[in-house]
Amino acid sequence: MHITSDIPQLLAQELSLNPSQVNSALELFAEGATIPFVARYRKERTGSLDEIQLRDISERFTYLTELEERKKTILDAIAAQGKLTEELQNKIESCLQKNLLEDLYLPYKTKRRTRATIAREKGLEPLAEFIKSLNTPQSKPISLTEEAAQYISEEKGVKTAEEALKCASDILAESVAEKAELRAYLRDFLMKSGLFVSRIKDEHPEGSTKFEMYRNYQVAVKSIQSHNMLALFRGETEGILELDLSFDESMVFSYLESQEIKTKVPAVREFYQGMLKDAFNRLMKTSLITEVRSDRKAEADIESIKTFETNLRELLLSAPAGMKPTLAVDPGFRTGCKVSVLSETGKFLEYQAIFPHQAAAQRQQAANMVKRLIEDYKIELIAIGNGTASRETDEFISEILATLERKPIKVMVNESGASIYSASDVAIAEFPDLDITVRGAISIGRRLQDPLAELVKIDPKSIGVGQYQHDVDQKLLKKKLDDTIESCVNYVGVDLNTASKELLTFVSGLTPTVAKNIVNYRNENGAFKNRRQLLKVPKLGPKAFEQAAGFLRIRGGENPLDNTAVHPESYFIVEAIAKDFNLPLTEVTQLSAKVKTINIKKYVTETVGEPTLRDIINELEKPGRDPRDEFKYATFKSGIKEISDLSIGMELEGIVTNVANFGAFVDIGVHQDGLVHISQLADRFVEDPKLIVKVGQIVKVRVLEVNEKLKRISLSMKLQEAVNSDGKTIAKSQKSPTLNDLKTKFNRR
């Protein structure tokens, strides 16, 4: 990573950081350090910068570095033409935005043959320059037609004076259209004053498309919501609606005239007015509208991706039920339920197909089979996929559990993406001899045991926590989601002896090849006994060990510190602390009761400061702890299986499956998520739904409206209680808002 000297200073100013912090972070990145590693184990060098700050530095540094490289290319190109002035060079070197830089370069770009170049070939540039010279406050009245008549030439294809003037206008129009300051102003004008206007095409009658709210729609360019922007682009791409950018063109021409017309001579003013209209309409309008659309699309992409990142993080960091013997059920009617048994380490043990939703005899046979599996394998968890027949299967399992003394915990599991995993190369490599349906059931069970370890095997776009994920910048989306997965994996830590290749790939410092080599080494040599053994893994050198070791855990190994987030480079600190408390290192976990009495200043060294020591003390307080929340699960209301079972006012428990900037989607057990609009999330104004709810959260909701035909469910999380005169709680009597009310509010936003 090459560091241009001015960039760190600029980054420090932009991000309100100390230049030394930025320099240290960039130096560590240049040395090959990952963001999770720097955030966790190099706090002394960066002044305790967190992951968000470090990613901001990395991303902005990449942008500015690319900008610097582009500047050099542009400066060289203009200099080669002999047109680089000191003023232009200063403008280019001080430019901090790519689009403004390209505006400066536009007049010097190699172009295809234009009307202006054709006019020059006809020898009309002197006429254009002459007319330009007349554009001053001191100019005198003159006949442009008489002047243009001198350029009539059959040989050059200029037949009339009017044609000569038109060619001169083409030359001047191109010059105006390439002025960076004009383009910047007009781009900003369209951004601040323009309106996006859409209409659904005539061939799509009212109520026939999912884009109905955009039938006759307009919104200010500057304030359009990201989901509206992406929906409009999708509707346009699908050929359902037409999208235009509307603005006051008279204001554009007034501005151009104020900037470009200096003369008071009527003939010259009239010529310039026509030329400026042509310059804008032919050479500027389309490109500027495209740039504004692209700019708003890019902002919408970023906003949508941020929401996707947040939802993915919450899903990946969902509380694990724990590594316990698990019965995983992939429900089905006609094809039956696929039942897989997993061990406390997630190992596949047995598979059975049962048919509880057909004849009574088959239901009894299925019940006997499930009882046998629960008893034989001492099942503690039962995971039921939330797809087709999930509620019927849930009730079937409940009937069985009612007959048992020892009852496993039964949980409904979101199976989004399980079918994608089942047919993937990852699943085939993991279970080459198993049917695709069996793999699906295994994935459902493992999601309950440890969501993070299982979900990293699936493309994040397939697990249902994003919106418009196929419409946004795919390269940026992949990078941001990969960053999120990396952050989550390293935040939690990874069991070195059970982790899959896919999970290990996201550990700091490990490449897919090294991750595969770790699994192969483990298969050939048995479980790792200590972290130092990692250095025996092919292609895992000292640098990869430094980056990865602190995030890899070994349970029951030779050194208890190997099951903590304490980095091996700091073991000597813990050994010194243990020695001071007269404890052998093997009993270091007993320090948890004494850590609050430790004077950390005593253990500060040249390389280990108080931030790292505080992290070590926190780790010793609860060694090997999982930072994720305590496991909880929702209970769906009995008898509510389909959307037809819902009624207005019904109160239910559900699980948040997705959060968007207009509200949250909640699974209430009827195979169709309901929407809690942003206006129904709380009894107060909510600016951002992510501040109220998160993916995986268990919430209480009330049914506002149900549309079976469109499969739409409107829900509310607002409090529905009031107190009467004698102090008793009563239901609020005011009418609940309908879907149409919500749409109206939504459109106003």
Side-chain angles (χ1 to χ4, degrees):
M1 181 185 284
H2 175 69
I3 301 176
T4 304
S5 58
D6 292 341
I7 291 180
Q9 184 69 35
L10 181 60
L11 285 173
Q13 292 173 358
E14 288 184 351
L15 303 175
S16 300
L17 297 172
N18 189 300
S20 64
Q21 291 178 292
V22 175
N23 274 308
S24 294
L26 293 175
E27 287 168 2
L28 286 163
F29 296 155
E31 294 166 10
T34 68
I35 286 173
F37 174 79
V38 175
R40 182 66 176 80
Y41 297 111
R42 290 296 179 264
K43 291 181 177 179
E44 283 78 8
R45 284 188 62 177
T46 68
S48 297
L49 293 178
D50 60 30
E51 277 196 37
I52 295 174
Q53 293 170 306
L54 290 167
R55 291 197 191 281
D56 286 344
I57 291 172
S58 176
E59 289 169 9
R60 187 62 177 154
F61 176 78
T62 299
Y63 180 93
L64 292 174
T65 302
E66 291 173 353
L67 188 67
E68 288 300 310
E69 291 171 356
R70 181 61 178 157
K71 286 180 186 178
K72 186 178 184 307
T73 299
I74 288 173
L75 288 169
D76 290 345
I78 298 174
Q81 297 174 30
K83 298 178 180 178
L84 184 62
T85 64
E86 183 178 348
E87 181 185 6
L88 179 58
Q89 182 170 344
N90 290 337
K91 283 183 179 180
I92 290 172
E93 288 179 344
S94 62
C95 188
L96 294 176
Q97 293 183 1
K98 290 180 179 179
N99 61 346
L100 298 181
L101 179 62
E102 295 305 322
D103 282 349
L104 292 170
Y105 182 41
L106 186 59
Y108 309 96
K109 271 186 175 178
T110 302
K111 302 178 183 68
R112 59 179 177 79
R113 204 157 173 261
T114 66
R115 278 166 49 169
T117 56
I118 294 170
R120 291 188 182 95
E121 290 168 3
K122 292 180 178 182
L124 274 305
E125 189 154 24
L127 177 60
E129 289 299 319
F130 174 76
I131 296 173
K132 188 177 179 180
S133 72
L134 299 176
N135 186 29
T136 67
Q138 298 79 27
S139 60
K140 305 295 183 184
I142 190 172
S143 172
L144 293 180
T145 304
E146 288 181 10
E147 183 68 27
Q150 301 177 39
Y151 292 87
I152 295 174
S153 169
E154 288 290 337
E155 180 185 348
K156 293 182 178 179
V158 183
K159 298 178 181 179
T160 64
E162 288 72 22
E163 188 176 341
L165 287 173
K166 184 70 181 68
C167 288
S169 177
D170 289 342
I171 293 171
L172 293 175
E174 185 172 272
S175 174
V176 166
E178 291 178 346
K179 288 188 176 182
E181 63 273 17
L182 296 182
R183 295 185 67 85
Y185 178 90
L186 293 175
R187 187 188 297 112
D188 188 59
F189 171 77
L190 294 183
M191 195 74 74
K192 290 179 178 176
S193 304
L195 294 172
F196 281 122
V197 179
S198 72
R199 72 171 193 87
I200 293 180
K201 294 180 179 179
D202 294 340
E203 57 264 36
H204 301 286
E206 194 164 340
S208 65
T209 85
K210 59 187 175 184
F211 300 100
E212 194 57 39
M213 70 172 285
Y214 303 108
R215 181 167 291 277
N216 293 295
Y217 177 84
Q218 71 175 34
V219 62
V221 171
K222 64 182 178 183
S223 59
I224 187 169
Q225 296 289 312
S226 61
H227 59 279
N228 293 138
M229 186 79 260
L230 294 172
L232 287 170
F233 271 95
R234 180 183 288 183
E236 185 181 48
T237 301
E238 293 181 8
I240 293 173
L241 58 82
E242 293 176 348
L243 176 62
D244 296 312
L245 199 164
S246 172
F247 56 94
D248 187 343
E249 294 199 8
S250 66
M251 292 185 68
V252 170
F253 296 130
S254 293
Y255 168 75
L256 289 174
E257 289 177 15
S258 71
Q259 297 300 304
E260 293 297 312
I261 301 179
K262 310 299 180 186
T263 182
K264 294 181 180 179
V265 176
V268 180
R269 286 186 66 85
E270 185 179 346
F271 175 88
Y272 258 78
Q273 286 168 344
M275 179 272 291
L276 291 173
K277 284 187 178 181
D278 177 58
F280 179 74
N281 288 326
R282 182 169 58 87
L283 300 174
M284 301 174 81
K285 183 177 179 179
T286 300
S287 62
L288 288 173
I289 287 176
T290 299
E291 288 175 25
V292 170
R293 281 169 52 109
S294 297
D295 182 271
R296 298 306 288 153
K297 168 66 163 57
E299 287 190 22
D301 284 358
I302 291 170
E303 190 64 32
S304 180
I305 290 170
K306 280 182 180 177
T307 300
F308 201 152
E309 286 180 88
T310 300
N311 290 343
L312 179 62
R313 176 176 294 277
E314 297 296 349
L315 183 64
L316 293 177
L317 295 180
S318 297
M323 302 309 291
K324 302 170 184 176
T326 300
L327 190 73
V329 185
D330 186 358
F333 286 120
R334 184 180 56 82
T335 57
C337 299
K338 297 82 183 173
V339 182
S340 294
V341 179
L342 305 175
S343 73
E344 65 275 8
T345 61
K347 181 181 179 182
F348 170 69
L349 300 175
E350 184 178 339
Y351 165 75
Q352 295 291 338
I354 60 174
F355 299 86
H357 309 308
Q358 297 183 7
Q362 288 178 300
R363 187 177 183 86
Q364 185 57 52
Q365 187 179 17
N368 293 337
M369 176 62 71
V370 171
K371 284 182 183 179
R372 195 268 297 173
L373 294 175
I374 291 174
E375 291 167 1
D376 286 358
Y377 293 100
K378 297 180 173 54
I379 296 297
E380 295 182 42
L381 297 171
I382 299 178
I384 303 172
N386 69 340
T388 304
S390 60
R391 294 308 309 279
E392 291 78 6
T393 303
D394 181 59
E395 290 187 0
F396 165 69
I397 297 294
S398 294
E399 291 172 8
I400 296 171
L401 297 184
T403 68
L404 303 178
E405 288 187 18
R406 186 184 61 82
K407 294 177 173 57
I409 294 174
K410 170 177 61 68
V411 183
M412 196 76 76
V413 177
N414 190 333
E415 61 180 46
S416 294
S419 59
I420 302 293
Y421 162 77
S422 302
S424 68
D425 292 339
V426 173
I428 293 170
E430 197 170 4
F431 302 109
D433 301 324
L434 295 182
D435 183 81
I436 190 170
T437 57
V438 187
R439 297 183 199 134
I442 292 171
S443 181
I444 290 168
R446 286 179 169 178
R447 287 185 190 200
L448 180 59
Q449 290 179 326
D450 189 342
L452 177 61
E454 189 62 20
L455 291 172
V456 295
K457 302 174 186 176
I458 304 170
D459 183 346
K461 290 186 289 186
S462 301
I463 55 181
V465 293
Q467 274 216 316
Y468 299 104
Q469 58 259 42
H470 301 293
D471 301 286
V472 301
D473 183 329
Q474 295 299 293
K475 184 177 178 181
L476 179 63
L477 177 65
K478 184 179 188 314
K479 180 188 182 303
K480 290 293 188 179
L481 296 187
D482 283 349
D483 287 348
T484 300
I485 298 171
E486 177 191 54
S487 174
C488 292
V489 168
N490 290 287
Y491 170 71
V492 172
V494 170
D495 187 326
L496 183 56
N497 286 320
T498 62
S500 65
K501 173 176 69 71
E502 289 71 33
L503 186 59
L504 288 166
T505 298
F506 287 100
V507 172
S508 168
L510 300 185
T511 64
T513 298
V514 173
K516 183 178 179 181
N517 290 346
I518 289 174
V519 174
N520 291 340
Y521 182 91
R522 191 174 68 200
N523 291 340
E524 293 168 7
N525 299 280
F528 286 87
K529 295 180 176 60
N530 59 68
R531 283 170 167 167
R532 302 299 302 180
Q533 274 184 275
L534 283 164
L535 290 168
K536 297 180 180 179
V537 173
K539 297 188 177 180
L540 199 161
K543 188 66 182 180
F545 178 83
E546 175 194 59
Q547 297 293 307
F551 302 106
L552 297 168
R553 310 280 187 267
I554 300 176
R555 294 185 175 89
E558 295 172 345
N559 188 333
L561 293 179
D562 285 346
N563 191 35
T564 71
V566 178
H567 197 283
E569 66 188 12
S570 298
Y571 282 5
F572 74 97
I573 297 285
V574 183
E575 290 167 0
I577 294 172
K579 184 178 179 181
D580 287 348
F581 280 93
N582 294 315
L583 281 173
L585 193 60
T586 53
E587 297 177 20
V588 73
T589 55
Q590 294 182 27
L591 279 172
S592 59
K594 304 176 182 180
V595 291
K596 294 189 185 301
T597 66
I598 295 173
N599 178 14
I600 61 173
K601 294 184 183 299
K602 177 181 177 181
Y603 303 100
V604 171
T605 69
E606 289 185 6
T607 57
V608 180
E610 289 191 27
T612 294
L613 285 167
R614 278 192 289 271
D615 285 344
I616 291 172
I617 298 303
N618 289 337
E619 191 65 23
L620 293 178
E621 194 171 359
K622 294 181 180 178
R625 72 190 183 281
D626 192 316
R628 290 173 286 186
D629 291 338
E630 182 182 348
F631 177 70
K632 297 176 183 177
Y633 58 95
T635 303
F636 293 134
K637 193 165 185 175
S638 178
I640 307 299
K641 305 174 188 175
E642 304 292 339
I643 192 171
S644 58
D645 296 325
L646 298 175
S647 59
I648 307 302
M650 187 176 283
E651 294 187 354
L652 305 164
E653 189 168 79
I655 306 169
V656 177
T657 58
N658 203 354
V659 180
N661 57 3
F662 54 83
F665 293 92
V666 178
D667 179 6
I668 52 176
V670 295
H671 310 301
Q672 177 64 48
D673 289 353
L675 172 64
V676 182
H677 186 265
I678 189 170
S679 63
Q680 293 295 318
L681 284 171
D683 287 315
R684 65 182 189 278
F685 173 75
V686 177
E687 184 175 355
D688 182 356
K690 296 189 289 293
L691 300 175
I692 303 294
V693 289
K694 63 181 182 179
V695 169
Q697 183 177 338
I698 298 168
V699 294
K700 300 279 189 181
V701 295
R702 182 173 50 86
V703 179
L704 291 181
E705 190 170 343
V706 180
N707 188 321
E708 288 189 54
K709 183 180 178 181
L710 297 177
K711 292 187 176 180
R712 288 181 181 171
I713 305 167
S714 176
L715 304 171
S716 176
M717 285 172 52
K718 284 188 174 181
L719 297 176
Q720 286 303 304
E721 294 183 339
V723 179
N724 63 15
S725 57
D726 61 4
K728 292 184 179 179
T729 300
I730 58 172
K732 286 184 179 177
S733 59
Q734 65 260 34
K735 180 178 177 289
S736 299
T738 65
L739 274 176
N740 286 331
D741 294 331
L742 295 180
K743 286 178 184 175
T744 301
K745 289 183 181 179
F746 178 67
N747 289 339
R748 287 174 183 162
R749 282 172 54 80

